[in-house]
Amino acid sequence: MRSGSHPQGSGRDARTSRLQFDGPFRGARWVVRSDAPRLVRIATEFLQEQGFERRDDGRENDDRPQGQEWTSSALEIGDEKRSRRGFWQGLLSDDLPFPLPRALQHSIPPTLVIVAARRVANGVAELVVFPHISRRGDAEYARAAGPRIRAALDGITAAAGAEGAMVSHESLRGVPNDGAPFSQAVVRDVLGWR
């Protein structure tokens, strides 16, 4: 599957079923026998398969917090304005000849995912993938990208396991605000994510 080919749309056009359970909204951390740029590339590809698109602000691969060299990428999905549309507005405004199926799907509110990796030992790197919801968009469905994020995280874990390269893996409910590319301060102050 290529970027932009997700059955429920990609980027700003991404949708999800209004009835879909969104479950917990988490990131993950892996320690893998690989190098940081390769891990970022692979994780980014798994997210793109789920409909996420790279940010076009040119801030990739330039985060260097606290003397640690990180390689990172920022991806987004969803749209603020479309996510606030109600059922009837969606039914009346879609340009399809049969709008009902799309009307039953909700536009995903803006969601940012940061993929970051750094070398931790010779031939071993740490990879972190962490999502950030936005205050913009429909608050009721703010975590609607959760199933897509989980699918990407499961794909990354399976790929690392299949190669026999995974040293450790953990699920993350939160991350420290320590200046790493995925921390709230960097996401807010550097990337302007609100």
Side-chain angles (χ1 to χ4, degrees):
M1 188 179 289
R2 307 296 296 174
S3 174
S5 63
H6 191 278
Q8 288 181 304
S10 299
R12 297 174 63 99
D13 295 324
R15 293 174 173 261
T16 188
S17 167
R18 290 179 180 272
L19 305 175
Q20 189 171 15
F21 171 71
D22 59 359
F25 198 71
R26 296 186 178 143
R29 176 184 177 271
W30 299 263
V31 176
V32 181
R33 286 188 222 41
S34 188
D35 61 272
R38 179 174 181 264
L39 291 177
V40 169
R41 188 182 71 253
I42 290 169
T44 297
E45 288 171 1
F46 275 103
L47 286 160
Q48 287 175 322
E49 287 177 3
Q50 293 301 317
F52 286 83
E53 295 179 348
R54 285 181 184 260
R55 284 179 58 113
D56 55 4
D57 58 10
R59 295 189 184 271
E60 295 173 17
N61 301 319
D62 63 356
D63 299 309
R64 309 265 191 283
Q66 301 177 358
Q68 297 291 335
E69 186 171 10
W70 287 91
T71 302
S72 65
S73 182
L75 298 99
E76 283 187 60
I77 197 169
D79 183 79
E80 174 184 357
K81 187 175 179 181
R82 291 179 191 156
S83 73
R84 292 183 183 274
R85 290 189 315 175
F87 173 80
W88 293 109
Q89 184 181 4
L91 182 65
L92 298 173
S93 66
D94 284 337
D95 297 328
L96 298 176
F98 306 104
L100 189 58
R102 281 182 61 94
L104 291 175
Q105 295 180 357
H106 186 77
S107 292
I108 294 178
T111 305
L112 174 74
V113 177
I114 303 296
V115 176
R118 66 179 173 180
R119 181 181 179 271
V120 293
N122 191 22
V124 178
E126 170 188 21
L127 171 67
V128 176
V129 177
F130 198 78
H132 296 269
I133 59 174
S134 174
R135 294 187 307 223
R136 301 170 289 132
D138 186 347
E140 184 179 351
Y141 291 96
R143 299 177 188 275
R148 292 182 187 222
I149 294 167
R150 278 192 304 283
L153 298 181
D154 290 347
I156 295 165
T157 302
E163 288 184 6
M166 188 163 33
V167 175
S168 68
H169 170 260
E170 66 179 304
S171 179
L172 300 174
R173 286 180 177 239
V175 290
N177 206 10
D178 60 0
F182 44 81
S183 68
Q184 188 63 42
V186 171
V187 166
R188 182 186 62 239
D189 300 336
V190 177
L191 298 179
W193 187 257
R194 302 271 188 259

